[in-house]
Amino acid sequence: LQLLMRAIGASDADMERGQMRVEANVSLRLRGTEPFGTRVEVKNMNSFRSVERAITYEIERQAALLDGGGELVMETRGWSDERSETYRMRAKETSDDYRYFPEPDLPPLHLDPSWLAALADALPELPAARRARYRDDLGLSPYDASVLVADPDAARLFEATLAAGPDVGAKAVATWVAGEYLKLRNAASSAVDVDPVQLAAIVAAVADG
């Protein structure tokens, strides 16, 4: 979702700056049973690491409570990075407490399908389609395709290097971009400018021994 928002220019979707937040619902059930258990919502997490840690913590907390014979209540919890634990914010006794109802001041919005189709046709290549193209057309591994598509700078350098010629092979270029370039870029305190023509020449020289 973050990549999609960035690809279409809707948002930078920077979680640390509050441009994107995640709220995770966690519920447990016994293996082989159908009904979901009591839902607990963890609110307003602002990093993917926090989401991962909060969900892991909630699974362990809920499992320990249920295994000990306790009962879960439907509630909203927050996540504390400092304490590495969730904490109760408020209880929600029924689904009505989630306040899902139509906004009376906003009338229904009817969109012309042809207008939506025109917008869709004008979109740039979206992340899922680019990953598929890298895999299916260029022969990259799913891992290499995901690494390149996840970083706009890396994807741009990869594409530009392939276009710069000579024909150095997508796999070789992907290895240099995902490896050496991202290592340098992530360690640098300022922007790292790499000339695609020079990078293509380096890759070709290495391939020629």
Side-chain angles (χ1 to χ4, degrees):
L1 180 60
Q2 185 185 54
L3 281 176
L4 186 61
M5 292 297 99
R6 289 174 172 173
I8 65 177
S11 172
D12 291 335
D14 188 332
M15 293 183 70
E16 285 73 15
R17 296 172 64 185
Q19 297 167 344
M20 180 178 181
R21 292 293 176 92
V22 174
E23 298 176 355
N25 290 318
V26 181
S27 63
L28 303 187
R29 61 181 171 185
L30 291 173
R31 188 183 304 276
T33 61
E34 287 297 323
F36 285 104
T38 300
R39 179 177 64 231
V40 173
E41 181 182 22
V42 187
K43 298 275 286 186
N44 292 335
M45 290 168 286
N46 64 354
S47 75
F48 289 114
R49 178 65 176 151
S50 293
V51 174
E52 179 185 17
R53 294 172 66 200
I55 291 175
T56 299
Y57 177 87
E58 265 306 293
I59 290 172
E60 294 174 352
R61 183 189 72 85
Q62 293 183 26
L65 182 61
L66 294 172
D67 290 344
E71 291 187 2
L72 289 164
V73 296
M74 188 180 295
E75 62 179 341
T76 296
R77 298 179 71 87
W79 168 253
S80 170
D81 272 319
E82 293 75 20
R83 301 196 305 271
S84 296
E85 63 183 20
T86 62
Y87 58 90
R88 170 177 277 203
M89 296 173 69
R90 58 185 176 274
K92 292 184 174 180
E93 300 298 336
T94 68
S95 295
D96 291 339
D97 288 322
Y98 281 85
R99 304 299 181 198
Y100 294 144
F101 55 84
E103 167 55 61
D105 295 327
L106 293 178
L109 181 62
H110 300 288
L111 302 177
D112 184 349
S114 63
W115 179 66
L116 291 177
L119 291 177
D121 290 342
L123 289 175
E125 184 179 40
L126 300 182
R130 178 168 289 189
R131 282 193 297 269
R133 178 168 65 84
Y134 284 1
R135 292 192 313 265
D136 301 339
D137 297 348
L138 300 181
L140 299 187
S141 68
Y143 174 79
D144 284 343
S146 295
V147 169
L148 293 175
V149 174
D151 190 294
D153 291 336
R156 280 191 291 269
L157 179 58
F158 173 72
E159 298 269 3
T161 303
L162 285 183
D167 184 9
V168 289
K171 175 59 181 175
V173 175
T175 299
W176 277 80
V177 173
E180 296 303 319
Y181 167 71
L182 285 181
K183 181 170 68 177
L184 288 171
R185 201 280 312 277
N186 294 338
S189 57
S190 58
V192 174
D193 186 23
V194 177
D195 186 322
V197 174
Q198 292 181 345
L199 179 56
I202 291 174
V203 176
V206 171
D208 289 341

